[in-house]
Amino acid sequence: MRPPELIPVADGVTLAVARIDALLPHARRCTAADRSAIAGLPPWRARQSLGARTLLRLALADTAGPGAARAPIAVHDGGKPYLPDRPDLGINLSHDGEWAAAVVGDGHAVGVDVQEPRAVSPGMLRRCCTEATAAGLSVLPAPDREWEFARIWTVQEACVKASGDGLPGRPWTIRVDLGRQHGAWRSYRWRSLRKDQGPPVSCAYRREEA
């Protein structure tokens, strides 16, 4: 089974997304420390985490070489992963349902999020979207509304993951207009994949000073 295709997002920023069942045959790329980090999780969550770490390892191997692909992964207090031995590389990963996503940034802070579309309430539309975007979503057929709302949420999550703020950064307040595939938040740029490229996935990135 072939490794997943890597998608260049910007100069030095590479995104990867794949189904978890396509990643598990490559799980030997994960280190003993990776497996220890997910030990004790419920089986379904351990499977997702193993898939996401496998995807990150594959992306690191292709973008930064075998040394980076075996480098230990640490986590900041806010939950953001990083490579202590490669401070020049930003990393992030995500999983939801049957999908995993990972991003590697050479000289960039990065964040990524993947979401499987699901039913969304009017209250969630109002909370996470501008009035105009919520109104536009409300008139779409349910499958299109669910897909587009999931994409908006991936942008919001990717931004606060890139900044390291996480949920305390109130991602639902980040403005993402209906149908936009790229944009900016604070000093970060973001980009979403098109619908024909897979599930709702977005990444955010910012070049860091050396």
Side-chain angles (χ1 to χ4, degrees):
M1 191 175 294
R2 295 180 60 188
E5 180 180 1
L6 301 182
I7 302 168
V9 173
D11 185 23
V13 180
T14 303
L15 174 66
V17 58
R19 291 188 66 89
I20 290 171
D21 58 7
L23 292 167
L24 295 182
H26 302 283
R28 64 185 182 280
R29 298 293 191 102
C30 287
T31 66
D34 289 333
R35 295 179 182 276
S36 177
I38 65 177
L41 293 176
W44 64 272
R45 187 64 180 269
R47 177 177 177 272
Q48 290 178 329
S49 296
L50 182 62
R53 282 181 177 254
T54 297
L55 183 58
L56 177 60
R57 294 297 183 185
L58 291 168
L60 283 167
D62 281 0
T63 59
R70 302 294 294 178
I73 298 172
V75 180
H76 289 295
D77 289 343
K80 186 177 181 180
Y82 68 102
L83 302 176
D85 296 342
R86 291 296 305 269
D88 55 313
L89 296 177
I91 60 168
N92 211 251
L93 65 167
S94 177
H95 54 75
D96 187 54
E98 289 300 311
W99 290 93
V103 63
V104 177
D106 185 357
H108 289 76
V110 291
V112 68
D113 196 61
V114 59
Q115 294 286 331
E116 289 192 345
R118 51 182 59 90
V120 55
S121 69
M124 282 296 290
L125 293 183
R126 291 192 299 269
R127 185 184 191 199
C128 299
C129 305
T130 64
E131 184 176 347
T133 295
L137 286 169
S138 67
V139 299
L140 292 177
D144 294 335
R145 178 171 61 251
E146 292 164 6
W147 198 96
E148 180 63 13
F149 178 80
R151 185 197 65 80
I152 289 171
W153 182 248
T154 66
V155 173
Q156 295 170 329
E157 278 283 296
C159 286
V160 297
K161 290 174 75 174
S163 69
D165 293 332
L167 285 177
R170 303 174 74 236
W172 53 89
T173 64
I174 297 172
R175 176 172 176 165
V176 184
D177 293 332
L178 187 64
R180 286 290 302 274
Q181 300 301 125
H182 57 84
W185 172 71
R186 295 182 181 172
S187 57
Y188 294 86
R189 305 293 301 177
W190 61 260
R191 176 179 165 188
S192 299
L193 294 190
R194 301 187 309 270
K195 199 169 186 178
D196 61 359
Q197 291 179 291
V201 178
S202 300
C203 68
Y205 52 94
R206 181 185 70 184
R207 181 169 291 280
E208 300 286 76
E209 295 295 333

